[in-house]
Amino acid sequence: MATAGATGDEQWPMWEVFVRASRGLSHVHAGSLHAPDETMALRNARDLYTRRGEGVSIWVVPASEITTSDPGSKEAFFESPAGKNYRHATYYEKSQGVPHL
Amino acid sequence: MSAETEPSVTVTDVELDAELTSTGLVASADEAEYALRIGDDSLILAQQLGWWISRAPELEEDLALGNIALDLLGHARNLLHFAGTALGKTEDELAYFRDEHEFRSAWLFEQPNGDFGHTIARGLLTSAFQFELYTQLAESSSPGLAGIAAKSVKEVAYHRDHAVQWTLRLAGGTDESRSRIERALINTWPYLDELFRDDELHERFDAAPRPSALREPVMNVLRQVLAEAELDEPKTSESSGDGRHGHHSTYLGPILAEMQVLARRHPDASW
């Protein structure tokens, strides 16, 4: 990666931002931003995504480090569970006489 | 769109007053004079930083500098409101209808934005000063000043962090960025001394830290940052600036003209 600003026209790398709204909740993807490095990415995330008191914790992840599913293979990836109701717990009837279930 | 159908999102005087920390307190003459000094510092810097919106190197920096400007404006509102309780004026009257010689800001805060490096260097010096000032002022025997300082110091800590991070990066970046931050520090360093000068107000008013007592902690922080950035401390002579008594640099006039023109052109306007 070139030093940010070295040529004057390159873009800062992209970072994905995850914010946890309060204790006990998970970090949720809030959006993305540009920053020259991880320290500045965290500060930019604070300014962009938590200035109205939205969060108690922030993660920033280099967008280039995230492996994503391919939008083109949606069918192979996500349509297989259709019709396979037995994968849900509610598909099954509770057996009689079983306590604590 | 008529007033009936428009969703009513209005900022009322009542809601704005709730943002003021010193509501209900009446300042003494000395408290007011002191509040004007440090309030004008923040007001002038806020006005200057607003220029960067849409002009910073990246959108993210537009927002960072804009956030800092808004924080400073909030501090200025509180301080000018508090000063106004002694002077019988509102914070808007103090901001928009005082002339240049009535402003009490120090010269450092009036120095131009320059390039991004200049704004960062100026921010490093102002935030290092304000952080030590507010930290000590939070312990003040004046409840009005202590309350405002305690609220402001947390935000100023972030301003200082922002300036430190960028100073390190500009110093450690390219030859161009390093030479620019070096030049910016040389250009702003002479205005530090004014911040640490005691005067007659401090002889009689002990509810605020003496400026001379801030010199050592502020300079220690700045020297640490310079050492980490592997920059030399600028060897410059001291500016004879005397903004605390209304003697300003040539930069303040145009800043005030831009800040005040609308309010003076339409004195009774509201929005």
Side-chain angles (χ1 to χ4, degrees), chain A residues 12 33-34 37 39-40 43-44 46-48 51, chain B residues 58 60 63-64 67 70 158 161 165-166 169 174:
Chain A
W12 287 349
L33 52 78
H34 293 99
D37 56 44
T39 314
M40 295 309 295
R43 281 157 180 78
N44 289 347
R46 177 259 194 196
D47 286 337
L48 278 161
R51 55 195 296 262
Chain B
E58 295 278 342
E60 285 78 0
L63 278 153
N67 275 341
L70 283 173
Y158 185 79
D161 176 70
Q165 295 297 333
W166 270 115
R169 277 160 184 75
T174 62

mmCIF file with all atom_site columns, all heavy atoms in Angstrom, chain A residues 12 33-34 37 39-40 43-44 46-48 51, chain B residues 58 60 63-64 67 70 158 161 165-166 169 174:
data_model
loop_
_atom_site.group_PDB
_atom_site.id
_atom_site.type_symbol
_atom_site.label_atom_id
_atom_site.label_alt_id
_atom_site.label_comp_id
_atom_site.label_asym_id
_atom_site.label_entity_id
_atom_site.label_seq_id
_atom_site.pdbx_PDB_ins_code
_atom_site.Cartn_x
_atom_site.Cartn_y
_atom_site.Cartn_z
_atom_site.occupancy
_atom_site.B_iso_or_equiv
_atom_site.pdbx_formal_charge
_atom_site.auth_seq_id
_atom_site.auth_comp_id
_atom_site.auth_asym_id
_atom_site.auth_atom_id
_atom_site.pdbx_PDB_model_num
ATOM 1   N N   . TRP A 1 12  ? -7.439  6.814  0.272  1.00 0.00 ? 12  TRP A N   1
ATOM 2   C CA  . TRP A 1 12  ? -7.194  6.097  1.525  1.00 0.00 ? 12  TRP A CA  1
ATOM 3   C C   . TRP A 1 12  ? -7.932  4.765  1.464  1.00 0.00 ? 12  TRP A C   1
ATOM 4   O O   . TRP A 1 12  ? -8.990  4.674  0.844  1.00 0.00 ? 12  TRP A O   1
ATOM 5   C CB  . TRP A 1 12  ? -7.734  6.904  2.700  1.00 0.00 ? 12  TRP A CB  1
ATOM 6   C CG  . TRP A 1 12  ? -6.938  8.103  3.059  1.00 0.00 ? 12  TRP A CG  1
ATOM 7   C CD1 . TRP A 1 12  ? -5.697  8.430  2.605  1.00 0.00 ? 12  TRP A CD1 1
ATOM 8   C CD2 . TRP A 1 12  ? -7.329  9.154  3.954  1.00 0.00 ? 12  TRP A CD2 1
ATOM 9   N NE1 . TRP A 1 12  ? -5.292  9.615  3.165  1.00 0.00 ? 12  TRP A NE1 1
ATOM 10  C CE2 . TRP A 1 12  ? -6.267  10.082 3.998  1.00 0.00 ? 12  TRP A CE2 1
ATOM 11  C CE3 . TRP A 1 12  ? -8.457  9.389  4.717  1.00 0.00 ? 12  TRP A CE3 1
ATOM 12  C CZ2 . TRP A 1 12  ? -6.302  11.223 4.777  1.00 0.00 ? 12  TRP A CZ2 1
ATOM 13  C CZ3 . TRP A 1 12  ? -8.500  10.531 5.492  1.00 0.00 ? 12  TRP A CZ3 1
ATOM 14  C CH2 . TRP A 1 12  ? -7.434  11.434 5.530  1.00 0.00 ? 12  TRP A CH2 1
ATOM 15  N N   . LEU A 1 33  ? -15.927 3.681  5.777  1.00 0.00 ? 33  LEU A N   1
ATOM 16  C CA  . LEU A 1 33  ? -15.272 4.987  5.676  1.00 0.00 ? 33  LEU A CA  1
ATOM 17  C C   . LEU A 1 33  ? -13.861 4.805  5.127  1.00 0.00 ? 33  LEU A C   1
ATOM 18  O O   . LEU A 1 33  ? -13.363 3.687  5.005  1.00 0.00 ? 33  LEU A O   1
ATOM 19  C CB  . LEU A 1 33  ? -15.219 5.662  7.053  1.00 0.00 ? 33  LEU A CB  1
ATOM 20  C CG  . LEU A 1 33  ? -14.635 4.875  8.228  1.00 0.00 ? 33  LEU A CG  1
ATOM 21  C CD1 . LEU A 1 33  ? -13.113 4.842  8.217  1.00 0.00 ? 33  LEU A CD1 1
ATOM 22  C CD2 . LEU A 1 33  ? -15.093 5.506  9.534  1.00 0.00 ? 33  LEU A CD2 1
ATOM 23  N N   . HIS A 1 34  ? -13.224 5.923  4.801  1.00 0.00 ? 34  HIS A N   1
ATOM 24  C CA  . HIS A 1 34  ? -11.828 5.908  4.374  1.00 0.00 ? 34  HIS A CA  1
ATOM 25  C C   . HIS A 1 34  ? -10.958 6.431  5.509  1.00 0.00 ? 34  HIS A C   1
ATOM 26  O O   . HIS A 1 34  ? -11.348 7.352  6.228  1.00 0.00 ? 34  HIS A O   1
ATOM 27  C CB  . HIS A 1 34  ? -11.624 6.798  3.144  1.00 0.00 ? 34  HIS A CB  1
ATOM 28  C CG  . HIS A 1 34  ? -12.302 6.287  1.919  1.00 0.00 ? 34  HIS A CG  1
ATOM 29  N ND1 . HIS A 1 34  ? -13.511 6.773  1.490  1.00 0.00 ? 34  HIS A ND1 1
ATOM 30  C CD2 . HIS A 1 34  ? -11.935 5.325  1.041  1.00 0.00 ? 34  HIS A CD2 1
ATOM 31  C CE1 . HIS A 1 34  ? -13.870 6.126  0.391  1.00 0.00 ? 34  HIS A CE1 1
ATOM 32  N NE2 . HIS A 1 34  ? -12.922 5.250  0.088  1.00 0.00 ? 34  HIS A NE2 1
ATOM 33  N N   . ASP A 1 37  ? -5.029  4.738  8.253  1.00 0.00 ? 37  ASP A N   1
ATOM 34  C CA  . ASP A 1 37  ? -4.599  3.565  9.022  1.00 0.00 ? 37  ASP A CA  1
ATOM 35  C C   . ASP A 1 37  ? -5.655  3.240  10.072 1.00 0.00 ? 37  ASP A C   1
ATOM 36  O O   . ASP A 1 37  ? -6.648  3.954  10.217 1.00 0.00 ? 37  ASP A O   1
ATOM 37  C CB  . ASP A 1 37  ? -3.219  3.792  9.671  1.00 0.00 ? 37  ASP A CB  1
ATOM 38  C CG  . ASP A 1 37  ? -3.199  5.035  10.546 1.00 0.00 ? 37  ASP A CG  1
ATOM 39  O OD1 . ASP A 1 37  ? -4.160  5.225  11.314 1.00 0.00 ? 37  ASP A OD1 1
ATOM 40  O OD2 . ASP A 1 37  ? -2.244  5.828  10.448 1.00 0.00 ? 37  ASP A OD2 1
ATOM 41  N N   . THR A 1 39  ? -5.726  3.358  13.374 1.00 0.00 ? 39  THR A N   1
ATOM 42  C CA  . THR A 1 39  ? -5.951  4.295  14.471 1.00 0.00 ? 39  THR A CA  1
ATOM 43  C C   . THR A 1 39  ? -6.861  5.431  14.021 1.00 0.00 ? 39  THR A C   1
ATOM 44  O O   . THR A 1 39  ? -7.783  5.828  14.727 1.00 0.00 ? 39  THR A O   1
ATOM 45  C CB  . THR A 1 39  ? -4.608  4.880  14.942 1.00 0.00 ? 39  THR A CB  1
ATOM 46  O OG1 . THR A 1 39  ? -3.674  3.817  15.075 1.00 0.00 ? 39  THR A OG1 1
ATOM 47  C CG2 . THR A 1 39  ? -4.756  5.587  16.259 1.00 0.00 ? 39  THR A CG2 1
ATOM 48  N N   . MET A 1 40  ? -6.578  5.967  12.836 1.00 0.00 ? 40  MET A N   1
ATOM 49  C CA  . MET A 1 40  ? -7.409  7.058  12.334 1.00 0.00 ? 40  MET A CA  1
ATOM 50  C C   . MET A 1 40  ? -8.786  6.540  11.930 1.00 0.00 ? 40  MET A C   1
ATOM 51  O O   . MET A 1 40  ? -9.773  7.269  12.038 1.00 0.00 ? 40  MET A O   1
ATOM 52  C CB  . MET A 1 40  ? -6.731  7.744  11.140 1.00 0.00 ? 40  MET A CB  1
ATOM 53  C CG  . MET A 1 40  ? -5.425  8.446  11.463 1.00 0.00 ? 40  MET A CG  1
ATOM 54  S SD  . MET A 1 40  ? -5.506  9.582  12.864 1.00 0.00 ? 40  MET A SD  1
ATOM 55  C CE  . MET A 1 40  ? -6.616  10.828 12.265 1.00 0.00 ? 40  MET A CE  1
ATOM 56  N N   . ARG A 1 43  ? -10.951 6.671  14.935 1.00 0.00 ? 43  ARG A N   1
ATOM 57  C CA  . ARG A 1 43  ? -11.359 8.044  15.263 1.00 0.00 ? 43  ARG A CA  1
ATOM 58  C C   . ARG A 1 43  ? -12.399 8.554  14.279 1.00 0.00 ? 43  ARG A C   1
ATOM 59  O O   . ARG A 1 43  ? -13.375 9.202  14.659 1.00 0.00 ? 43  ARG A O   1
ATOM 60  C CB  . ARG A 1 43  ? -10.134 8.940  15.296 1.00 0.00 ? 43  ARG A CB  1
ATOM 61  C CG  . ARG A 1 43  ? -9.380  8.765  16.600 1.00 0.00 ? 43  ARG A CG  1
ATOM 62  C CD  . ARG A 1 43  ? -7.935  9.165  16.497 1.00 0.00 ? 43  ARG A CD  1
ATOM 63  N NE  . ARG A 1 43  ? -7.273  8.963  17.779 1.00 0.00 ? 43  ARG A NE  1
ATOM 64  C CZ  . ARG A 1 43  ? -6.878  7.791  18.248 1.00 0.00 ? 43  ARG A CZ  1
ATOM 65  N NH1 . ARG A 1 43  ? -7.083  6.699  17.541 1.00 0.00 ? 43  ARG A NH1 1
ATOM 66  N NH2 . ARG A 1 43  ? -6.293  7.701  19.424 1.00 0.00 ? 43  ARG A NH2 1
ATOM 67  N N   . ASN A 1 44  ? -12.190 8.264  12.994 1.00 0.00 ? 44  ASN A N   1
ATOM 68  C CA  . ASN A 1 44  ? -13.182 8.676  12.001 1.00 0.00 ? 44  ASN A CA  1
ATOM 69  C C   . ASN A 1 44  ? -14.517 8.000  12.259 1.00 0.00 ? 44  ASN A C   1
ATOM 70  O O   . ASN A 1 44  ? -15.578 8.609  12.097 1.00 0.00 ? 44  ASN A O   1
ATOM 71  C CB  . ASN A 1 44  ? -12.692 8.350  10.593 1.00 0.00 ? 44  ASN A CB  1
ATOM 72  C CG  . ASN A 1 44  ? -11.540 9.243  10.164 1.00 0.00 ? 44  ASN A CG  1
ATOM 73  O OD1 . ASN A 1 44  ? -11.250 10.259 10.808 1.00 0.00 ? 44  ASN A OD1 1
ATOM 74  N ND2 . ASN A 1 44  ? -10.875 8.868  9.096  1.00 0.00 ? 44  ASN A ND2 1
ATOM 75  N N   . ARG A 1 46  ? -15.672 7.075  15.111 1.00 0.00 ? 46  ARG A N   1
ATOM 76  C CA  . ARG A 1 46  ? -16.272 7.762  16.265 1.00 0.00 ? 46  ARG A CA  1
ATOM 77  C C   . ARG A 1 46  ? -16.994 9.022  15.799 1.00 0.00 ? 46  ARG A C   1
ATOM 78  O O   . ARG A 1 46  ? -18.104 9.316  16.229 1.00 0.00 ? 46  ARG A O   1
ATOM 79  C CB  . ARG A 1 46  ? -15.162 8.083  17.268 1.00 0.00 ? 46  ARG A CB  1
ATOM 80  C CG  . ARG A 1 46  ? -15.594 8.873  18.499 1.00 0.00 ? 46  ARG A CG  1
ATOM 81  C CD  . ARG A 1 46  ? -15.237 10.324 18.340 1.00 0.00 ? 46  ARG A CD  1
ATOM 82  N NE  . ARG A 1 46  ? -15.321 11.046 19.604 1.00 0.00 ? 46  ARG A NE  1
ATOM 83  C CZ  . ARG A 1 46  ? -15.366 12.365 19.682 1.00 0.00 ? 46  ARG A CZ  1
ATOM 84  N NH1 . ARG A 1 46  ? -15.360 13.101 18.574 1.00 0.00 ? 46  ARG A NH1 1
ATOM 85  N NH2 . ARG A 1 46  ? -15.424 12.973 20.839 1.00 0.00 ? 46  ARG A NH2 1
ATOM 86  N N   . ASP A 1 47  ? -16.352 9.778  14.902 1.00 0.00 ? 47  ASP A N   1
ATOM 87  C CA  . ASP A 1 47  ? -16.959 11.028 14.434 1.00 0.00 ? 47  ASP A CA  1
ATOM 88  C C   . ASP A 1 47  ? -18.160 10.783 13.522 1.00 0.00 ? 47  ASP A C   1
ATOM 89  O O   . ASP A 1 47  ? -19.123 11.537 13.527 1.00 0.00 ? 47  ASP A O   1
ATOM 90  C CB  . ASP A 1 47  ? -15.924 11.857 13.670 1.00 0.00 ? 47  ASP A CB  1
ATOM 91  C CG  . ASP A 1 47  ? -14.913 12.504 14.611 1.00 0.00 ? 47  ASP A CG  1
ATOM 92  O OD1 . ASP A 1 47  ? -15.250 12.678 15.795 1.00 0.00 ? 47  ASP A OD1 1
ATOM 93  O OD2 . ASP A 1 47  ? -13.801 12.825 14.158 1.00 0.00 ? 47  ASP A OD2 1
ATOM 94  N N   . LEU A 1 48  ? -18.070 9.712  12.715 1.00 0.00 ? 48  LEU A N   1
ATOM 95  C CA  . LEU A 1 48  ? -19.125 9.488  11.724 1.00 0.00 ? 48  LEU A CA  1
ATOM 96  C C   . LEU A 1 48  ? -20.325 8.753  12.296 1.00 0.00 ? 48  LEU A C   1
ATOM 97  O O   . LEU A 1 48  ? -21.458 9.047  11.945 1.00 0.00 ? 48  LEU A O   1
ATOM 98  C CB  . LEU A 1 48  ? -18.571 8.666  10.560 1.00 0.00 ? 48  LEU A CB  1
ATOM 99  C CG  . LEU A 1 48  ? -17.790 9.439  9.502  1.00 0.00 ? 48  LEU A CG  1
ATOM 100 C CD1 . LEU A 1 48  ? -16.927 8.482  8.689  1.00 0.00 ? 48  LEU A CD1 1
ATOM 101 C CD2 . LEU A 1 48  ? -18.737 10.188 8.594  1.00 0.00 ? 48  LEU A CD2 1
ATOM 102 N N   . ARG A 1 51  ? -21.645 10.035 16.968 1.00 0.00 ? 51  ARG A N   1
ATOM 103 C CA  . ARG A 1 51  ? -21.697 11.389 17.495 1.00 0.00 ? 51  ARG A CA  1
ATOM 104 C C   . ARG A 1 51  ? -23.040 11.731 18.127 1.00 0.00 ? 51  ARG A C   1
ATOM 105 O O   . ARG A 1 51  ? -23.191 12.775 18.759 1.00 0.00 ? 51  ARG A O   1
ATOM 106 C CB  . ARG A 1 51  ? -21.308 12.402 16.430 1.00 0.00 ? 51  ARG A CB  1
ATOM 107 C CG  . ARG A 1 51  ? -22.099 12.315 15.159 1.00 0.00 ? 51  ARG A CG  1
ATOM 108 C CD  . ARG A 1 51  ? -21.390 13.100 14.074 1.00 0.00 ? 51  ARG A CD  1
ATOM 109 N NE  . ARG A 1 51  ? -21.352 14.509 14.411 1.00 0.00 ? 51  ARG A NE  1
ATOM 110 C CZ  . ARG A 1 51  ? -22.202 15.402 13.935 1.00 0.00 ? 51  ARG A CZ  1
ATOM 111 N NH1 . ARG A 1 51  ? -23.178 15.028 13.133 1.00 0.00 ? 51  ARG A NH1 1
ATOM 112 N NH2 . ARG A 1 51  ? -22.101 16.665 14.272 1.00 0.00 ? 51  ARG A NH2 1
ATOM 113 N N   . GLU B 2 58  ? -10.142 14.823 3.083  1.00 0.00 ? 58  GLU B N   1
ATOM 114 C CA  . GLU B 2 58  ? -11.123 13.751 2.861  1.00 0.00 ? 58  GLU B CA  1
ATOM 115 C C   . GLU B 2 58  ? -12.406 14.130 3.585  1.00 0.00 ? 58  GLU B C   1
ATOM 116 O O   . GLU B 2 58  ? -12.397 14.897 4.538  1.00 0.00 ? 58  GLU B O   1
ATOM 117 C CB  . GLU B 2 58  ? -10.614 12.408 3.425  1.00 0.00 ? 58  GLU B CB  1
ATOM 118 C CG  . GLU B 2 58  ? -9.395  11.840 2.746  1.00 0.00 ? 58  GLU B CG  1
ATOM 119 C CD  . GLU B 2 58  ? -9.711  11.077 1.464  1.00 0.00 ? 58  GLU B CD  1
ATOM 120 O OE1 . GLU B 2 58  ? -10.879 10.687 1.264  1.00 0.00 ? 58  GLU B OE1 1
ATOM 121 O OE2 . GLU B 2 58  ? -8.778  10.882 0.659  1.00 0.00 ? 58  GLU B OE2 1
ATOM 122 N N   . GLU B 2 60  ? -14.000 12.441 5.639  1.00 0.00 ? 60  GLU B N   1
ATOM 123 C CA  . GLU B 2 60  ? -13.901 12.069 7.045  1.00 0.00 ? 60  GLU B CA  1
ATOM 124 C C   . GLU B 2 60  ? -13.274 13.200 7.869  1.00 0.00 ? 60  GLU B C   1
ATOM 125 O O   . GLU B 2 60  ? -13.622 13.400 9.030  1.00 0.00 ? 60  GLU B O   1
ATOM 126 C CB  . GLU B 2 60  ? -13.082 10.781 7.193  1.00 0.00 ? 60  GLU B CB  1
ATOM 127 C CG  . GLU B 2 60  ? -13.826 9.502  6.789  1.00 0.00 ? 60  GLU B CG  1
ATOM 128 C CD  . GLU B 2 60  ? -13.919 9.292  5.282  1.00 0.00 ? 60  GLU B CD  1
ATOM 129 O OE1 . GLU B 2 60  ? -13.399 10.138 4.511  1.00 0.00 ? 60  GLU B OE1 1
ATOM 130 O OE2 . GLU B 2 60  ? -14.520 8.291  4.867  1.00 0.00 ? 60  GLU B OE2 1
ATOM 131 N N   . LEU B 2 63  ? -15.651 16.080 8.584  1.00 0.00 ? 63  LEU B N   1
ATOM 132 C CA  . LEU B 2 63  ? -16.503 15.813 9.745  1.00 0.00 ? 63  LEU B CA  1
ATOM 133 C C   . LEU B 2 63  ? -15.741 15.952 11.048 1.00 0.00 ? 63  LEU B C   1
ATOM 134 O O   . LEU B 2 63  ? -16.262 16.469 12.027 1.00 0.00 ? 63  LEU B O   1
ATOM 135 C CB  . LEU B 2 63  ? -17.097 14.410 9.623  1.00 0.00 ? 63  LEU B CB  1
ATOM 136 C CG  . LEU B 2 63  ? -18.315 14.377 8.719  1.00 0.00 ? 63  LEU B CG  1
ATOM 137 C CD1 . LEU B 2 63  ? -18.488 13.024 8.081  1.00 0.00 ? 63  LEU B CD1 1
ATOM 138 C CD2 . LEU B 2 63  ? -19.556 14.754 9.515  1.00 0.00 ? 63  LEU B CD2 1
ATOM 139 N N   . ALA B 2 64  ? -14.485 15.475 11.051 1.00 0.00 ? 64  ALA B N   1
ATOM 140 C CA  . ALA B 2 64  ? -13.697 15.563 12.285 1.00 0.00 ? 64  ALA B CA  1
ATOM 141 C C   . ALA B 2 64  ? -13.490 17.022 12.670 1.00 0.00 ? 64  ALA B C   1
ATOM 142 O O   . ALA B 2 64  ? -13.705 17.417 13.825 1.00 0.00 ? 64  ALA B O   1
ATOM 143 C CB  . ALA B 2 64  ? -12.359 14.853 12.100 1.00 0.00 ? 64  ALA B CB  1
ATOM 144 N N   . ASN B 2 67  ? -16.792 18.601 13.713 1.00 0.00 ? 67  ASN B N   1
ATOM 145 C CA  . ASN B 2 67  ? -17.166 18.198 15.074 1.00 0.00 ? 67  ASN B CA  1
ATOM 146 C C   . ASN B 2 67  ? -16.396 19.004 16.112 1.00 0.00 ? 67  ASN B C   1
ATOM 147 O O   . ASN B 2 67  ? -16.957 19.438 17.123 1.00 0.00 ? 67  ASN B O   1
ATOM 148 C CB  . ASN B 2 67  ? -16.850 16.715 15.300 1.00 0.00 ? 67  ASN B CB  1
ATOM 149 C CG  . ASN B 2 67  ? -17.958 15.808 14.822 1.00 0.00 ? 67  ASN B CG  1
ATOM 150 O OD1 . ASN B 2 67  ? -19.084 16.249 14.644 1.00 0.00 ? 67  ASN B OD1 1
ATOM 151 N ND2 . ASN B 2 67  ? -17.649 14.549 14.615 1.00 0.00 ? 67  ASN B ND2 1
ATOM 152 N N   . LEU B 2 70  ? -17.808 22.453 16.329 1.00 0.00 ? 70  LEU B N   1
ATOM 153 C CA  . LEU B 2 70  ? -19.078 22.499 17.068 1.00 0.00 ? 70  LEU B CA  1
ATOM 154 C C   . LEU B 2 70  ? -18.859 22.344 18.566 1.00 0.00 ? 70  LEU B C   1
ATOM 155 O O   . LEU B 2 70  ? -19.532 22.998 19.370 1.00 0.00 ? 70  LEU B O   1
ATOM 156 C CB  . LEU B 2 70  ? -20.027 21.421 16.553 1.00 0.00 ? 70  LEU B CB  1
ATOM 157 C CG  . LEU B 2 70  ? -20.700 21.741 15.224 1.00 0.00 ? 70  LEU B CG  1
ATOM 158 C CD1 . LEU B 2 70  ? -21.489 20.540 14.721 1.00 0.00 ? 70  LEU B CD1 1
ATOM 159 C CD2 . LEU B 2 70  ? -21.618 22.949 15.354 1.00 0.00 ? 70  LEU B CD2 1
ATOM 160 N N   . TYR B 2 158 ? -10.309 14.960 23.254 1.00 0.00 ? 158 TYR B N   1
ATOM 161 C CA  . TYR B 2 158 ? -10.410 14.381 21.917 1.00 0.00 ? 158 TYR B CA  1
ATOM 162 C C   . TYR B 2 158 ? -9.768  15.291 20.860 1.00 0.00 ? 158 TYR B C   1
ATOM 163 O O   . TYR B 2 158 ? -9.102  14.825 19.943 1.00 0.00 ? 158 TYR B O   1
ATOM 164 C CB  . TYR B 2 158 ? -11.871 14.093 21.555 1.00 0.00 ? 158 TYR B CB  1
ATOM 165 C CG  . TYR B 2 158 ? -11.989 13.386 20.233 1.00 0.00 ? 158 TYR B CG  1
ATOM 166 C CD1 . TYR B 2 158 ? -11.751 12.020 20.139 1.00 0.00 ? 158 TYR B CD1 1
ATOM 167 C CD2 . TYR B 2 158 ? -12.281 14.082 19.073 1.00 0.00 ? 158 TYR B CD2 1
ATOM 168 C CE1 . TYR B 2 158 ? -11.816 11.369 18.926 1.00 0.00 ? 158 TYR B CE1 1
ATOM 169 C CE2 . TYR B 2 158 ? -12.337 13.447 17.853 1.00 0.00 ? 158 TYR B CE2 1
ATOM 170 C CZ  . TYR B 2 158 ? -12.112 12.090 17.777 1.00 0.00 ? 158 TYR B CZ  1
ATOM 171 O OH  . TYR B 2 158 ? -12.157 11.443 16.565 1.00 0.00 ? 158 TYR B OH  1
ATOM 172 N N   . ASP B 2 161 ? -6.138  14.726 21.022 1.00 0.00 ? 161 ASP B N   1
ATOM 173 C CA  . ASP B 2 161 ? -5.782  13.434 20.433 1.00 0.00 ? 161 ASP B CA  1
ATOM 174 C C   . ASP B 2 161 ? -5.785  13.523 18.899 1.00 0.00 ? 161 ASP B C   1
ATOM 175 O O   . ASP B 2 161 ? -4.876  13.018 18.233 1.00 0.00 ? 161 ASP B O   1
ATOM 176 C CB  . ASP B 2 161 ? -6.782  12.373 20.901 1.00 0.00 ? 161 ASP B CB  1
ATOM 177 C CG  . ASP B 2 161 ? -6.526  11.027 20.262 1.00 0.00 ? 161 ASP B CG  1
ATOM 178 O OD1 . ASP B 2 161 ? -5.506  10.421 20.613 1.00 0.00 ? 161 ASP B OD1 1
ATOM 179 O OD2 . ASP B 2 161 ? -7.316  10.607 19.407 1.00 0.00 ? 161 ASP B OD2 1
ATOM 180 N N   . GLN B 2 165 ? -2.455  12.807 16.734 1.00 0.00 ? 165 GLN B N   1
ATOM 181 C CA  . GLN B 2 165 ? -2.419  11.743 15.725 1.00 0.00 ? 165 GLN B CA  1
ATOM 182 C C   . GLN B 2 165 ? -1.968  12.283 14.372 1.00 0.00 ? 165 GLN B C   1
ATOM 183 O O   . GLN B 2 165 ? -1.156  11.679 13.677 1.00 0.00 ? 165 GLN B O   1
ATOM 184 C CB  . GLN B 2 165 ? -3.799  11.083 15.596 1.00 0.00 ? 165 GLN B CB  1
ATOM 185 C CG  . GLN B 2 165 ? -4.264  10.335 16.831 1.00 0.00 ? 165 GLN B CG  1
ATOM 186 C CD  . GLN B 2 165 ? -3.374  9.161  17.178 1.00 0.00 ? 165 GLN B CD  1
ATOM 187 O OE1 . GLN B 2 165 ? -2.729  8.576  16.317 1.00 0.00 ? 165 GLN B OE1 1
ATOM 188 N NE2 . GLN B 2 165 ? -3.301  8.822  18.447 1.00 0.00 ? 165 GLN B NE2 1
ATOM 189 N N   . TRP B 2 166 ? -2.503  13.440 14.002 1.00 0.00 ? 166 TRP B N   1
ATOM 190 C CA  . TRP B 2 166 ? -2.157  13.990 12.686 1.00 0.00 ? 166 TRP B CA  1
ATOM 191 C C   . TRP B 2 166 ? -0.752  14.569 12.656 1.00 0.00 ? 166 TRP B C   1
ATOM 192 O O   . TRP B 2 166 ? -0.058  14.492 11.640 1.00 0.00 ? 166 TRP B O   1
ATOM 193 C CB  . TRP B 2 166 ? -3.190  15.037 12.244 1.00 0.00 ? 166 TRP B CB  1
ATOM 194 C CG  . TRP B 2 166 ? -4.307  14.404 11.485 1.00 0.00 ? 166 TRP B CG  1
ATOM 195 C CD1 . TRP B 2 166 ? -5.619  14.336 11.854 1.00 0.00 ? 166 TRP B CD1 1
ATOM 196 C CD2 . TRP B 2 166 ? -4.202  13.701 10.239 1.00 0.00 ? 166 TRP B CD2 1
ATOM 197 N NE1 . TRP B 2 166 ? -6.341  13.637 10.918 1.00 0.00 ? 166 TRP B NE1 1
ATOM 198 C CE2 . TRP B 2 166 ? -5.494  13.245 9.913  1.00 0.00 ? 166 TRP B CE2 1
ATOM 199 C CE3 . TRP B 2 166 ? -3.152  13.414 9.375  1.00 0.00 ? 166 TRP B CE3 1
ATOM 200 C CZ2 . TRP B 2 166 ? -5.752  12.514 8.754  1.00 0.00 ? 166 TRP B CZ2 1
ATOM 201 C CZ3 . TRP B 2 166 ? -3.409  12.685 8.211  1.00 0.00 ? 166 TRP B CZ3 1
ATOM 202 C CH2 . TRP B 2 166 ? -4.698  12.239 7.916  1.00 0.00 ? 166 TRP B CH2 1
ATOM 203 N N   . ARG B 2 169 ? 1.475   11.681 12.053 1.00 0.00 ? 169 ARG B N   1
ATOM 204 C CA  . ARG B 2 169 ? 1.380   11.147 10.696 1.00 0.00 ? 169 ARG B CA  1
ATOM 205 C C   . ARG B 2 169 ? 1.992   12.084 9.662  1.00 0.00 ? 169 ARG B C   1
ATOM 206 O O   . ARG B 2 169 ? 2.623   11.638 8.703  1.00 0.00 ? 169 ARG B O   1
ATOM 207 C CB  . ARG B 2 169 ? -0.087  10.846 10.359 1.00 0.00 ? 169 ARG B CB  1
ATOM 208 C CG  . ARG B 2 169 ? -0.483  9.503  10.898 1.00 0.00 ? 169 ARG B CG  1
ATOM 209 C CD  . ARG B 2 169 ? -1.978  9.346  11.040 1.00 0.00 ? 169 ARG B CD  1
ATOM 210 N NE  . ARG B 2 169 ? -2.255  8.055  11.660 1.00 0.00 ? 169 ARG B NE  1
ATOM 211 C CZ  . ARG B 2 169 ? -2.067  7.795  12.943 1.00 0.00 ? 169 ARG B CZ  1
ATOM 212 N NH1 . ARG B 2 169 ? -1.605  8.749  13.749 1.00 0.00 ? 169 ARG B NH1 1
ATOM 213 N NH2 . ARG B 2 169 ? -2.313  6.607  13.430 1.00 0.00 ? 169 ARG B NH2 1
ATOM 214 N N   . THR B 2 174 ? 5.369   11.787 4.198  1.00 0.00 ? 174 THR B N   1
ATOM 215 C CA  . THR B 2 174 ? 6.281   12.042 3.080  1.00 0.00 ? 174 THR B CA  1
ATOM 216 C C   . THR B 2 174 ? 7.196   13.223 3.419  1.00 0.00 ? 174 THR B C   1
ATOM 217 O O   . THR B 2 174 ? 6.995   13.914 4.414  1.00 0.00 ? 174 THR B O   1
ATOM 218 C CB  . THR B 2 174 ? 5.478   12.391 1.817  1.00 0.00 ? 174 THR B CB  1
ATOM 219 O OG1 . THR B 2 174 ? 4.733   13.598 2.076  1.00 0.00 ? 174 THR B OG1 1
ATOM 220 C CG2 . THR B 2 174 ? 4.498   11.269 1.472  1.00 0.00 ? 174 THR B CG2 1
#
